[in-house]
Amino acid sequence: MFGDLFEEDFSFISNHHCGKAKKSKPRDFEPPAPRDFTNLSGIKNQGGTCYLNSLLQTLLFTPEFREALFSLGPEELGTLDDSSKPDAKVRIIPLQLQRLFAQLLLLDQQAASTTDLTESFGWNSHEEMRQHDVQELNRILFSALETSLVGTSGHDLINRLYHGIVVNQIVCKECKNISERQEDFLDLTVTVKGVSGLEEALWNTYVEEEHFENENLYRCGACDKLVEASKSAKLRKLPPFLTISLLRFNFDFEKCERYKETSCYTFPSQINLRPFCEQTEMDDSEYMYELFSVIIHKGGCYGGHYHVYVRDVDELGNWQLQYLQNHPQIFQFSPDENKVGLREIHKLTFKSDFQGQDLQSPPQKNDVQWDSEKNPPRLKDSSAGCHWFDLNDSKVQPIKEKDIEKQFEGKESAYMLFYRKSQLKRPAEARGNPRYKIPTHLLNEMNAANTELQKKRVECDSANNGMDLHLHLSSCYMFHNGALHPALTWKESVVDLTIDRRKTLGDLRQSVFQMLESWEGDMVLSIAKPLPAGLHLYQILDGDELTLDGIGLADGADVFVWNGKEVGGTKVMTGPDHEPVVINVLRLAEYNEGGKGQHFTESQHVFSCSTKLGELHRALAPSGGIILKNLSGPEKEAKNWEVLLEEDMNRTVRSVGLTDGCSVLILDSHDQSFVNVSSGNLTAFTYDISWLQVKNFCRTGDEEKHVKITATIETVMADIKMKAIRELQLEEELANASCLRPVSGNGKLLSPVPEDYTVKEAELKMGSLLGLCHGKAPTSTQLFLYFIVGSDQVASPEMEIVVEETISVKECLNLMLEKSGLSGDNWHLRRIDWCYEAGEALSQENATLKELNVCRGDTLVITEGKLPPKGFLKIPIWWFKSSSPKKHGEPAQDQVNGLTCQMDALQVSPAGDSPEHIHTGMDLCYAGTIEITGEASLEDLKMQALTLPCCQEQVVPLPSFLRAWTVDSKRPGKLLRSNKQRLNDYRLGARVEICIEPLQKEENLGPHELLLRVQMGIPGERDYYDSMDLVWDISKECTAWALRQRVAAHYCLPVEKIEIAKYFPERFEWLPISSWTQQISKRKRKKKQESLQAAPYHLKDGDVIGVKNLLLDDMKDFSTLRDDIGKEKQRQLTLEKKKSLQMLRNPHLENHGGQLKTASASQIPRVKVLQESQGSLQQKDQGNAPNPEEKKLWK
C-alpha cells in the first residue's frame, strides 16, 4: 500500500538515498508565496496526500515528538549529503522528517512540499495520487520510524510517547481465580455506531463486564470445570499521548455495502481516564488528558478529503488576528494588512509579547496608530495555549474551540482524536519560538533558504512589475505621406527602456532626460502606435504624480518623445480622428493579353480617416470616373464591390468602412459598362491573369519542350490547347487528335481534361504543368479510367480507356476485356483501395458508372472469378494441422515458439482452388473456397468447410470440435464464437478468410472467456516447450495479477515464482506483464483496475504468453534465438525499403555499386518505378500514380 514505507528492513544503514535518482521537476519562475497572517505553513497536496499532510501536521504540533526527533544529530542519523557514498550509513526517513519539520517551522513559504519525504518512503507518482486510510498510515509510519531508529538514542521514541497497555481479565466466580492477558497499543479504536460519544464508548469497553452464565460458561483452569465468570478490560498503562481512532466506516450486511456512520458522536476537550484504568489510586492529574488535534474526514466510505484541527501548544502562530478582523469597530488595518491599529475612541497602550515595546506610534492619517513592525502584533490572551487552527493542505486559518463541535456529526466529521496529558507543560522559552531546539545545521540551512527565497521574490517582483517601453525620438523621424517614418532604420530610431510600473510619470520623464543629455526645451511624451501607413501619435501623457500603471501605460508600449507641436518642421496631427489609412487603388490595364479575365494595375495611397470621399475622388478619379469600394481586403469578386454614389461624397473614409487593406476600383467612363449604377454593383469581374505550363508529349526525344500560356481561371481548356500548339509550332491538324493531361509531381500523366472545361472547373492551379498528348480528350459526359488485370501491378501493366459515364458496369468490363485481349465471363470489376490493391467489388453489374460514383481518373481492377450471388459470401478456407512436437536440438530458426512457428506459412488466398497451392509440411494449408449465405450460422460454415477435399480426411465428430478464426495480416486474428450466430452478425466483410483448427474435445467459449497460448520456458535455454491452450475467465477482472494467478494455477506453481510476458510476433518482441501495482488487499483494490485488453498489452484471443519458472530458471530474458534472427532480418528489410523509397522519391538518382549518384537528363525515362528483385533495383514503366511500388512499401 505504501511502497517501501513498511518494507524498510535496516534502512538505517541504507547505502542508497531514495531521492538520489528522483525525477527532475521543473522549477517555476515564481517563488513560493510567503506565509500568511497566521505565520504557519501548510503542506502541498501531491494529488491524494491530504491524509499524510494531516498526520504530519499533528506530529509537528506535538512538541515532545518534534524535539525528540530534532535531538538526533548527524552523528547518529548521518547526513543526506552522504547518501550517495557507498559505505555511508544514512537513516533517510528520520532525516527527511527532520528537514520537513524545520521547513514548516522556519521557511517563509505558504506551503511545504513532501516530495522528498514520500520518495524516501519509496512512493512513486502513482502512489502519491491514491488516497489511503490515515489510521493505517499512522501505524505504518510509526513502525518505519522505529525500524529506522534502531541503534540510536531515539530507538524508544515511539514507545516512550505513544505506547500503552490494555489488560483483559476473566474472573472465576467460584474460586476467584483471575486469568489475564496484556495487549500493547499505540492507538485505541472505539466504536461509533449506537454510541453517543467517546466517554460512553470507553465505558462500554473498559468498565462494563461481560458475564459467562447459563449455557455460555467459562472453563476455569483452577477449577477444571465450566463455571460462571466475568470478563473485563482495563487500561494498565497510559501513554503521554493518547491516539483514538473512531470506527466511522461500517458494513451493512443487509445491503451488502459499506457506509459511513455520520450520527452525532461527542468527545470532550478534557477527559479523565480514571474510571477506565486498572490502577485508580493516583492523583487526578495522572489521568487528565487534553485534546490537541482532530483529524477530520469529509466525504463517504469510498473517498473524500482529510484536514486537521490542531491546538497551537507553543503559540507559534498568530491566532489573535482573526479576533481583530472580527471586530472592525475597534481595530483597523493598514491598506496592505501588514499593520494594525486602534481607532481613536479605543486607543490603548499595550506591549508586544516578543518586542517589549509600546505599539503606539505617532498619529498618522485616518487617526489610526500603526505598529512600526511589519508583523501583526501578538496580544496576550487569557486562554493561552488554546489557539486552534484548521490546517487544510496549503491553507491555514484560525478557528475557535467551539468550531470543533461542528465535527461531531455529518459527512464532515472527526475521524482521529489526539490527546496529551495535562501534566505535560512547555518551557517558557519554547513559547512563540519556532527555533526552539532545532539543530544548528538545520537552522543554517533554513536561514540560507530564506535568504535565497527573499532574493528570488525581489527578482520576481521586479520582473512582474517591470515594463519595457519603446521610446521613439523625434530627432530620428520625419513626417510625410500622412504618418511618421524613421529617417534611419527602425532599430536605430528606437531606444528601449525598462522601468517599474509603480513609478510615476515624473520618474519616467526624469529617466528620459537622463538618457538624452542634449535635450533642450519642453519634453512631451505621447502614446504612439505603428500602423501600416507608419507611426501615428495619440494622447499626450499628463499627470507627473500618477503611476505608470494608473495612466494605463502597458508593457511594450510605444512612446514618442517630442516638443508636442511639430516634427522636422512639419505640424503633426494626433489622435484617433487623424489615423492614416492605407488603401489599395486598382485600375484596369490598357492592354489585356487574352482569356475572359481582366488585368489590373495596383498602387497604394494613404489618406486620413477623416478625409471626405469628395477629396478622395478628386485625388484619384478622372473627370466622369467612378469609384467602387471593396471592404473584404484582397478579394476582388464581383459581389464584394459597391459603387460610391454622389450622395456619399460628403462622408469620411472611416464612416464608409474603408480601413487598412481595403481596395477601391477606379473606372473611367469607357470602362463603366462593367457597372450597374442603379444597383451599385459590379456585373462583370474576374481574377488577374496568370499562366500555365504545357509540355509536348506528342513527340519523343529532344523535341520535348515547355511553353508558358497566359490564362485566367475562366479560360477554356480548348483555347489553351490551341495556343500551346501554336507556341510549340505544331501542325494545326493535331488539334483534333490531341488532349491536355495534367502531369503529377513524380512525372505521371493524369487523366485528360475535357476541352469545354474552364481552368477553374478543371481544378487546375495557376502554374501547373500540362502535357500535350496524342488521343482525343474526353467530353464532360465521358470518363477516363485506368485499369489493370489482377492485383499484381508488376505482371500486369496499367492501361487506359475512355467510356461514357452512363454505360453499365458489365459493358465497361467487356470493353476493358476486349482492350486487354481477354475473353470469357469468369471476370468481375473491383475498385482499387488506398494500398493499391483490389478492394470493393462493383457487384451491381447493371448499374451505371455514374450511379456507382466512379469518377474521372479512377483505377479499376479486372479480377478473375465470378461474384457470388447477392447475399452470399465467397470465403477462402485455411486448415490448421496440429504441429508435430519439437525435438530437442532442432535449429531455433525452424520454429517460432511452438504454435506461432507456422504462422508465417499463411499466404494470401489464391484465386483458384488448385491443389498446388497447398503448402505441404506446413501447419497451415489452403483448403479451398466456399460460397455460403450470410444468413447461415457459424456451424453451417464449419460443416461446409468439412466437405472440401483437403478436410475430408480429417475425422471431426461435430462442429463444436472445430475452432474458427479470421485471417488478419497473414495470421489468425479474431476468434469466432457461438456456433449458432449468423455470419452477417460477425461483419466479416467481402474479403474475409477463415482458418479452421481441429480440437481434441468440444469447445463452446463464452463471451467473457479469453483463449491464450501459454508456453513454458526450457530452463537454461532460450527456447520453449510446446504451447498449450489456456481458457481464462475475464468476467470479473482482466488484470495482470489475475492472469498471473490463472497461469500459476495452470502449472501448479506459486504465483510469486513465475514471470510472464506477451509475445508480439510481428516485432519479434516480448513484453513482460508486471503486476506489482495489483498486489494490494482486495479491500483496498479499486473497482476499475488497469485492464490487459488496453494499452500496452492489447490482450486478445490467440495471444502467446511465455512463462518462466523461477524455481528452475533464473533467466528473465524471454527472447529466443529466432527472435534475434527475425529482428536482424527486419532491420535489413527496413534499410532496403528506405533505400528504395529514396530512389522512388528522387528519380534523378541511380544506384551504382551501392552508391547513389545523379543521372543525366537523357538517362531519365518519362515515368519510372523502382522495384526490388533479388537484391538489385530494376526499372519498369508505369503510367499511373500513386506509385504502386511505393504503396507497397507504405503498407
Side-chain angles (χ1 to χ4, degrees), residues 918-951:
I918 298 177
H919 302 278
T920 58
M922 299 291 186
D923 283 350
L924 287 160
C925 65
Y926 178 66
T929 302
I930 64 173
E931 289 188 7
I932 188 169
T933 176
E935 297 297 323
S937 65
L938 179 62
E939 184 177 30
D940 297 332
L941 182 143
K942 293 178 180 179
M943 293 292 292
Q944 192 166 338
L946 289 175
T947 63
L948 296 172
C950 179
C951 306

Side-chain angles (χ1 to χ4, degrees), residues 213-507:
E213 54 190 10
N214 299 329
E215 296 180 356
N216 182 25
L217 299 177
Y218 166 73
R219 177 171 290 280
C220 176
C223 301
D224 195 22
K225 64 178 181 178
L226 295 174
V227 296
E228 292 185 350
S230 60
K231 179 182 178 182
S232 63
K234 292 289 183 182
L235 297 172
R236 173 165 289 180
K237 176 190 172 185
L238 294 175
F241 296 91
L242 181 63
T243 303
I244 299 177
S245 299
L246 309 182
L247 287 177
R248 288 278 184 188
F249 300 118
N250 288 316
F251 188 83
D252 189 331
F253 288 95
E254 293 183 359
K255 298 181 179 179
C256 289
E257 63 181 12
R258 297 179 66 206
Y259 70 95
K260 180 178 178 181
E261 186 65 54
T262 58
S263 58
C264 182
Y265 190 89
T266 62
F267 48 88
S269 59
Q270 287 188 337
I271 187 170
N272 188 338
L273 297 181
R274 180 195 294 272
F276 318 117
C277 294
E278 182 183 30
Q279 300 175 1
T280 59
E281 64 277 3
M282 293 184 292
D283 187 71
D284 267 355
S285 61
E286 296 289 338
Y287 305 102
M288 291 301 298
Y289 280 78
E290 297 175 350
L291 183 70
F292 77 97
S293 178
V294 181
I295 293 182
I296 299 160
H297 180 265
K298 180 180 181 180
C301 58
Y302 295 109
H305 177 68
Y306 290 94
H307 62 108
V308 62
Y309 287 176
V310 170
R311 181 160 65 93
D312 186 8
V313 177
D314 282 348
E315 298 187 28
L316 302 178
N318 291 330
W319 180 86
Q320 296 89 343
L321 193 60
Q322 182 75 13
Y323 173 80
L324 303 180
Q325 290 175 331
N326 292 336
H327 296 80
Q329 71 279 9
I330 301 176
F331 302 100
Q332 183 167 338
F333 289 89
S334 66
D336 57 0
E337 294 192 357
N338 284 329
K339 301 173 184 178
V340 65
L342 293 173
R343 296 190 182 275
E344 186 68 25
I345 58 175
H346 292 284
K347 286 183 179 178
L348 294 174
T349 302
F350 54 90
K351 293 183 178 180
S352 167
D353 291 341
F354 62 98
Q355 293 290 343
Q357 297 176 352
D358 192 345
L359 289 180
Q360 280 190 304
S361 57
Q364 299 183 14
K365 61 180 181 179
N366 299 331
D367 294 327
V368 177
Q369 297 174 343
W370 301 115
D371 179 23
S372 60
E373 297 295 327
K374 178 181 177 181
N375 291 329
R378 187 185 301 279
L379 306 180
K380 288 186 178 180
D381 191 270
S382 59
S383 59
C386 294
H387 304 156
W388 285 83
F389 291 90
D390 178 11
L391 291 94
N392 191 345
D393 290 337
S394 300
K395 185 179 180 182
V396 181
Q397 60 181 8
I399 60 170
K400 298 179 181 178
E401 188 172 358
K402 64 180 181 181
D403 291 335
I404 301 175
E405 298 176 5
K406 300 176 183 177
Q407 310 303 328
F408 285 169
E409 61 182 327
K411 289 188 176 181
E412 183 177 8
S413 50
Y415 188 66
M416 286 187 74
L417 308 176
F418 296 84
Y419 286 87
R420 56 183 289 124
K421 271 195 174 183
S422 301
Q423 287 182 336
L424 297 175
K425 302 298 181 182
R426 299 294 295 150
E429 57 269 23
R431 184 183 181 192
N433 182 12
R435 307 170 69 89
Y436 183 67
K437 287 194 176 183
I438 296 182
T440 305
H441 70 281
L442 286 176
L443 288 175
N444 295 336
E445 180 183 347
M446 295 303 111
N447 288 337
N450 277 327
T451 303
E452 183 65 22
L453 270 177
Q454 185 61 26
K455 179 181 176 182
K456 287 184 178 180
R457 288 189 180 118
V458 171
E459 293 174 354
C460 183
D461 180 73
S462 176
N464 289 339
N465 292 290
M467 64 165 58
D468 295 325
L469 301 179
H470 307 302
L471 302 180
H472 301 262
L473 309 180
S474 61
S475 59
C476 300
Y477 278 81
M478 55 184 178
F479 186 84
H480 69 89
N481 206 13
L484 290 165
H485 299 272
L488 304 174
T489 63
W490 279 100
K491 187 175 182 181
E492 294 172 324
S493 305
V494 178
V495 178
D496 291 331
L497 174 66
T498 301
I499 190 170
D500 195 313
R501 68 177 67 247
R502 293 168 293 189
K503 289 192 174 182
T504 63
L505 180 59
D507 296 330

